């Protein structure tokens, strides 16, 4: 089986390398030629366009920044859709709009090709270590076919539902992570302002109902004041844009998610878009300065 | 060492029973005489007032509903303060205002008595099973003296800081639990509205950064629609009142905590104050109905 990989940035490059390590034959493409070199050095063949990659591959992964980027590499003039073979699979691992995903899947289906949406969480470290959480939408039989390849890149791999369901799960993930960061930020800022050691509070709370990955890992970032990412605020902002757009399209209120997004805006507006998104702790603290 | 226990409600009764099971001699008092009977049956001596209990005991625990109740049983006309022996300890396990706690500790100190604030999380089940999380404020040497008694009632026992620090930690706990409930509610409501199975989303998210006790336990309540408490909304509302009062006193903004509190108000206003506080999921869902 020939595997394609389109998009070789911070996430895509280590994911593609892990596919090669897993013994797979890869053809790759990236907008910038220099991004392809490390993969070619590792044994991958270079493609001339997303169309070229899709024409030569049974499963093509895409890992790019945002909805328009996926639309460009899949549906654009040199996009995968103009090369896809009947029965082949486009597996998009970017984080984009669930509704846009459904639309892309429908267009691919009209060409006889399958699509999976398979956004990830776990960041660059997860991509490098092959420990990503992968949330998948699509047909069960297509999922089963691609699952061994996902297993080269991730640890927890879940088929959530049909096309778009992976993106919905990712949107849910970003809400939970964001609003939980809000929760821990307010709690630790309150402790500090009371003159109580936030590290002791974190310790006391970890064992109980307030215990979470966010408390464990981001709580430490807030206590030490070290907001080296992790997951950059400006990327979380992009994902919350998808969430708020979904809320508008569905006609539902997500007030906690909206609140967190506003604090992200303030953090990024203050010049800290490159910090970890748990840096909104700084916004909570400085509101009362 | 003679141990006293004042307040024998849903939480106090099983806690006092666990102290007796731990081999301690107990003297008890409760506002309602009938609440004392199960403890007397288990071997406890009845006190005639909180003052009487404190006069006869080396360590007296109090476990009542709210700040005015603690003020009544400790500082009131028949309160512990009028009976306390020099060097004895009042350990208040109620959840009340951190600043009121500091004030009570100061008044007890003027009588030569020690105070610990030791609020708990873990609810009735934790009280019955002796698995409460106990967050303690007070002097280290007083904490060490009382710790073996706390160990009869709880599992995770942390000295957070001086007087009031236990209550601060509890306030932080209620913020994190409440705002995390907000987070999971919005995420699962979004999934459902997209037509994606919330149970699958919960499963996909549990392994990653969004994983938490709240997702694990309250996520299940939201999916099943079974909001049997657990921890009642009206009690969480009382605790959030303490949090919002602290925010006002400290002059700081806790917007996520305030948002969750408003949704609690709406839940309770709809007649659901006896439900688990994760029932705010219902408020999120019905906003768009």
């Amino acid at each position: 089986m020939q595997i394609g990989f389109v998009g070789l940035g911070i996430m895509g490059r280590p994911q593609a390398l892990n596919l090669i390590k897993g013994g797979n034959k890869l053809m790759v493409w990236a907008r910038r030629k220099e991004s392809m070199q490390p993969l070619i050095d590792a044994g991958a063949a270079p493609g001339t366009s997303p169309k070229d990659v899709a024409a030569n591959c049974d499963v093509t992964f895409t890992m790019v920044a945002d909805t328009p980027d996926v639309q460009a590499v899949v549906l654009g003039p040199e996009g995968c859709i103009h090369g896809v073979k009947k029965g082949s699979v486009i597996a998009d691992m970017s984080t984009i709009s669930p509704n846009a995903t459904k639309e892309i899947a429908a267009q691919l289906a009209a060409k006889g090709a399958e699509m999976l949406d398979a956004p990830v969480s776990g960041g660059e470290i997860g991509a490098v270590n092959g420990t990503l959480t992968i949330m998948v939408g699509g047909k069960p039989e297509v999922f089963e076919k691609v699952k061994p390849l996902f297993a080269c890149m991730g640890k927890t791999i879940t088929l959530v539902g049909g096309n778009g369901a992976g993106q919905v799960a990712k949107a849910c993930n970003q809400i939970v992570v964001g609003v939980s960061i809000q929760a821990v930020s307010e709690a630790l800022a309150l402790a500090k302002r009371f003159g109580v050691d936030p590290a002791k509070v974190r310790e006391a709370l970890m064992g109980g109902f307030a215990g979470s990955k966010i408390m464990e890992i981001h709580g430490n970032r807030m206590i030490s004041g070290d907001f080296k990412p992790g997951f950059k605020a400006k990327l979380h902002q992009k994902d919350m844009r998808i969430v708020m757009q979904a809320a508008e399209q569905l006609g539902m209120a997500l007030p906690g998610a909206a609140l967190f997004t506003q604090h992200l805006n303030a953090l990024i507006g203050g010049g800290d878009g490159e910090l970890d998104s748990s840096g909104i702790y700084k916004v909570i603290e400085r509101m009362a300065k």
Side-chain angles (χ1 to χ4, degrees), chain A residues 9 43 49 56-57 63 65 74 83 104 108 180 189 223 236 243 245 254:
Chain A
S49 67
N56 285 286
C57 294
M63 188 57 161
V74 179
I104 296 167
L108 285 167
S180 300
I223 290 163
H236 209 154
V243 168
Q245 189 188 37
L254 299 175

Side-chain angles (χ1 to χ4, degrees), chain A residues 215-229:
Chain A
M215 175 67 88
E216 185 189 343
I217 292 165
H218 292 317
N220 257 348
R221 282 194 163 95
M222 295 168 197
I223 290 163
S224 68
D226 178 2
F227 295 106
K228 194 164 65 73

Side-chain angles (χ1 to χ4, degrees), chain A residues 97-100 102 164 167-169 171-172 175 241-254:
Chain A
S97 151
N99 286 333
K102 284 187 207 173
Q167 295 296 351
V168 170
C172 293
I175 292 172
R241 199 182 306 132
I242 292 168
V243 168
M244 298 325 297
Q245 189 188 37
E248 184 179 329
Q249 287 170 350
L250 295 168
M252 71 183 295
L254 299 175

Side-chain angles (χ1 to χ4, degrees), chain A residues 29 35 45-46 68 88 94 96 125-126 152 180 184 236 243 258 263 267 289:
Chain A
W29 182 85
S35 301
S88 71
S94 325
I96 68 166
I125 292 171
C152 298
S180 300
V184 175
H236 209 154
V243 168
H263 290 176
L267 179 71
K289 272 242 171 95

Side-chain angles (χ1 to χ4, degrees), chain A residues 88-165:
Chain A
S88 71
V89 182
I90 305 294
D92 177 37
M93 303 190 75
S94 325
T95 294
I96 68 166
S97 151
N99 286 333
T101 292
K102 284 187 207 173
E103 171 61 27
I104 296 167
Q107 295 200 35
L108 285 167
K111 294 268 185 174
E114 300 291 346
M115 181 172 180
L116 295 175
D117 48 303
V120 305
S121 84
E124 189 182 351
I125 292 171
V128 171
N129 296 338
T131 56
L132 293 167
T133 294
I134 309 179
M135 297 152 262
V136 189
K139 292 179 193 162
E141 62 273 24
V142 180
F143 173 70
E144 289 305 326
K145 182 177 167 186
V146 181
K147 200 176 173 183
L149 302 172
F150 287 140
C152 298
M153 301 181 270
K155 210 177 44 166
T156 312
I157 303 155
T158 311
L159 180 66
V160 180
N163 286 129

Side-chain angles (χ1 to χ4, degrees), chain A residues 5 7-24 26 28 35-44 127-128 130 152-153:
Chain A
F5 210 106
L8 300 166
I10 292 175
M11 297 294 290
R13 186 179 48 209
Q15 288 180 269
L17 283 170
N18 280 331
L19 281 167
I20 293 173
K21 272 186 212 155
N24 298 291
L26 239 63
V28 298
S35 301
M36 292 165 66
Q37 200 56 52
L39 278 296
I40 293 167
D41 293 347
V128 171
C152 298
M153 301 181 270

